[in-house]
Amino acid sequence: MLHKASCPDVPDFYAHKVVKWRWIIYPWAVIEDLTAFLQEAKQPIKNVAAFAKRLQEQHGLHMPKSTLQDALDLSRKAPHQHP
């Protein structure tokens, strides 16, 4: 279990304290986090290559192409929430 130092609540027990802010992607929430990135994009991301480039440039993330495709497919099925 991780404890983010930026969180005001301190757990009774934790295995590691994360001092510097980090985006932590848990294995069970990968698609959810990726679709959130897609929804927050100012310009629509239309393909896996553009998605991979955006994640690398803006967040330093590398994801399998099949995972990115899954997130793109899911985001196309869900209603967009762009402002």
Side-chain angles (χ1 to χ4, degrees), residues 1 22 25 27 48 51-52 56 64 66 68 72:
M1 176 161 52
R22 304 246 187 250
I25 298 178
V48 169
F51 195 9
Q56 168 55 39
S66 60
L68 297 178
L72 281 167

Side-chain angles (χ1 to χ4, degrees), residues 25-73:
I25 298 178
Y26 295 100
W28 55 86
V30 171
I31 298 297
E32 180 182 348
D33 288 346
L34 290 174
T35 55
F37 284 136
L38 287 168
Q39 290 175 352
E40 293 169 4
K42 292 178 182 173
Q43 299 292 325
I45 298 172
K46 298 183 180 187
N47 59 54
V48 169
F51 195 9
K53 183 178 179 184
R54 175 86 48 99
L55 287 174
Q56 168 55 39
E57 290 175 352
Q58 292 186 352
H59 304 288
L61 294 174
H62 299 276
M63 301 298 295
K65 290 181 180 182
S66 60
T67 303
L68 297 178
Q69 186 64 58
D70 289 344
L72 281 167
D73 292 345

